[in-house]
Amino acid sequence: MKTTAQLLVMLFAICSFGQVMPIDFSDPSDAMNCFDCSFTIADDGGNPVGSIAGGGLLYDTAQLNLAENLDLSDDANNTITFRMKPLADYGTRTHLLKFEAGTGPDTELSFTTSGTDWQIITLDYGAGLGDYSLMVFFPDFNNNDVGTYLVDDFAGGTNVTPIPDLDTPSPTPTTPDNEVLSIYGDTGGFTNIWTSDYSFGVTTVVDTDPSAAVNNTLKMDFSVAGYGEGTNPGTVTDVSAYNYFHFDYWTANATQIRMILIEEDGSVFEYFYELPTQEAFVFNTWTSVDIPLSFFTAQGFSTDKFFQFKIGTESDLNTGIAYFDNLYFSVNPGTNLSVTDVELNNMTVYPNPSENHWILNSNSILSSIEIYDVLGKQVLLINPSSTMVEIDASTLKTGLYFAKIRSANGGRTLKLIKK
């Protein structure tokens, strides 16, 4: 119970973030975002309380993004209590409180109210849960009843400080503007930009540049959902003028990433390139990936019917967080360079084209060289630990290959031709 006497009556934007448990609505940031309902912070005898007016739909909701995740994994400390008061005698009504966007399965419990007095609600959530960043309240759950309810003093669980967002800027593309159709990115200066009509799934835009500059990236929590964007049915984009799809990623713990291109031709078809199946993960550094479009067309992708892109996993419930930037189609492989890539930018390779071998020279000690064919299959892996490397090409078929090169100072992709 609060003693604050000031009346607070406000409506809040969809992106407001609440404080940590307990939630008592004495701070404007405690305001909940309503979907098909309305929410205000109201006065009840000198105390600020939440006021939720249902919209008469089956699943109208009031939601609160928590500033710190709420840990419900301890079965001895995951009981949530709060107070609730119907503003009229609606008889017995059923409601539901749910926690989402967490490291464990979504969890929900229903409860009832009756009369017009303040009632103490106690919900004992089960075992095997995780920590959650979203609290969702369903007034008059699963029915079309309309009512207004006061709520107050949400408490329970354990607050968990979230992991700070990445503060390492993503690479700045240097791929020529006239060779690119940009899907996402704000640092490449690209002018040919694909426009989506809608987005789906869950992502957060994070500025990874700690300086005054801005470098926005997509932050994906694969324990919650995937994310994508698309155009309306019947509106497709012809990308047949391009040969590669490029993206940059950073992760410390992702276990799977699928970059998915989707076509629409009466029906919708998805084609994906997967880490670590097609290439191994590189952790704790920005890494560039250039996928030959032939990898997708070999699966059946029609380059004149590009419809959506999606970043996800097999189930969209794999653990791990990853950041993505610089998604674009390009004529040639991308040449994204971060600050630490400068030494590798001076690398030389000869002879190229070659019949039997390539020699790489670098100012940095090279830790690994992965050679891929145009279908994305790894055909060679070398761990040289030196600045000069000879790559034996005698066993490779004639054609185009890509060398994905790593060092302590970053990474780079080179195009190699076997005669």
Side-chain angles (χ1 to χ4, degrees), residues 201-219:
V202 179
T203 190
T204 304
V205 176
V206 174
D207 181 4
T208 58
D209 195 332
S211 70
V214 175
N215 193 324
N216 288 327
T217 66
L218 299 176
K219 179 184 179 182

Side-chain angles (χ1 to χ4, degrees), residues 14 94-95 245 270 356 380:
I14 188 171
T94 298
H95 320 282
F245 186 84
E270 299 187 358
N356 299 307
L380 289 175

